[in-house]
Amino acid sequence: MTLIGHDDAWLQWREAMAGPRMHHAWLLAGKRGLGKAQFGQAAARELVAEEGQHQSEGHHPDIITLTNLPKDDKEEKKREEGKSYETKRNISVAQIRAMQQRLNTRPTLGSRRVIIIDPADDLEKSASNALLKSLEEPPIGTFFVLVAHRPARLLPTIRSRCRVLRFAPLSDSQIGDLLNREAPDVDQVTRDAAVGAAGGSPGTALDFVQRDLGPLNGLMREIAQSGDANFVLRGRLAAAMGARPDRERILAALDLARAVLAGEVASADTPRIPAIVDAHAELVTLSAQAPTYNFDAGLLVMEIGSLLAKAANPREAA
């Protein structure tokens, strides 16, 4: 994904680089899909390149990235096929200790080294405690970049040692421009729905168009425009989700349903608007519950269809 936006974060990073003493630990905080990881890699390359080290888009020997790897090859295959998004293990204390061993040696190309931990909010408790020791007494020339979607999960003592860069959602026009560049073959209806479902996250928008949610978009719009919530149409909607959709796909479907309703408001007659608002509110509630509640995916998607139909036909909402 092309890194776009976040001018304020770049300004703070580059002002710090130009100052007399660069802070040794940074926390990149914000919702998923905003480009924090790409920012961290690019910022790290700028930091090591300032000394004249070779700057490359690929691997750099003095930029070390720790991440949460899949549990095994079978889980990796599932993840690549989009069948599971909850199969990664936490970042372990063994990974942190291996990193600390490398810090006992000099950087390869210059006097600076950057450690990127992504996502830092997936550190095991023992790994967090081990990392804290390095943050308290960092080797000279070592910098830490922690990427976190849920920074509150980090130890307060870790957060207190980091300078925080907060990443805000991008504008709809920025998301649209990104999709025009990176997904030029996607039809306009799906692109508009992706922008609406993204919530300012370019990663979410690209995930939307890449994971074939276009058919869902068509079915949801058919239901919303016709008010037809019969079993066959809702069953088609559930079938389009797949036999065992993961939570991320369910959440994407909920986002899509809200985007569909948002588009319907502009063309709605006055009696339909309260029903659309009520359906939107129920979809928001389902979105909040979905990450923690073990929904039957098929029934949930049929419920989405019913809410769309009620929004289309206020008499059904009565």
Side-chain angles (χ1 to χ4, degrees), residues 185-291:
D185 297 332
V186 174
D187 65 89
Q188 188 62 47
V189 172
T190 300
R191 184 179 292 111
D192 290 344
V195 171
S201 165
T204 299
L206 286 171
D207 184 63
F208 183 98
V209 299
Q210 291 168 356
R211 297 182 66 193
D212 197 27
L213 291 170
L216 285 181
N217 175 64
L219 285 167
M220 287 181 180
R221 289 188 179 278
E222 183 179 349
I223 294 170
Q225 291 168 6
S226 70
D228 186 352
N230 65 52
F231 182 82
V232 172
L233 192 53
R234 287 183 296 162
R236 283 172 53 202
L237 187 61
M241 285 288 292
R244 296 177 62 85
D246 55 56
R247 286 193 197 281
E248 294 299 325
R249 189 169 176 83
I250 290 172
L251 290 171
L254 287 161
D255 287 340
L256 172 57
R258 295 204 304 272
V260 167
L261 289 184
E264 291 299 305
V265 170
S267 59
D269 48 18
T270 303
R272 282 183 54 204
I273 291 178
I276 292 175
V277 171
D278 288 344
H280 192 283
E282 290 189 54
L283 287 166
V284 170
T285 299
L286 289 176
S287 299
Q289 294 172 345

Side-chain angles (χ1 to χ4, degrees), residues 11-30:
L11 178 63
Q12 292 184 59
W13 177 265
R14 287 167 179 158
E15 283 183 344
M17 283 180 55
R21 185 176 180 182
M22 179 80 167
H23 193 72
H24 74 282
W26 295 73
L27 173 59
L28 313 186

Side-chain angles (χ1 to χ4, degrees), residues 295-311:
F295 282 111
D296 179 297
L299 293 177
L300 173 62
V301 178
M302 293 181 77
E303 175 66 13
I304 293 172
S306 296
L307 290 171
L308 291 168
K310 288 179 181 179

Side-chain angles (χ1 to χ4, degrees), residues 147 165 253:
V147 180
L165 292 182

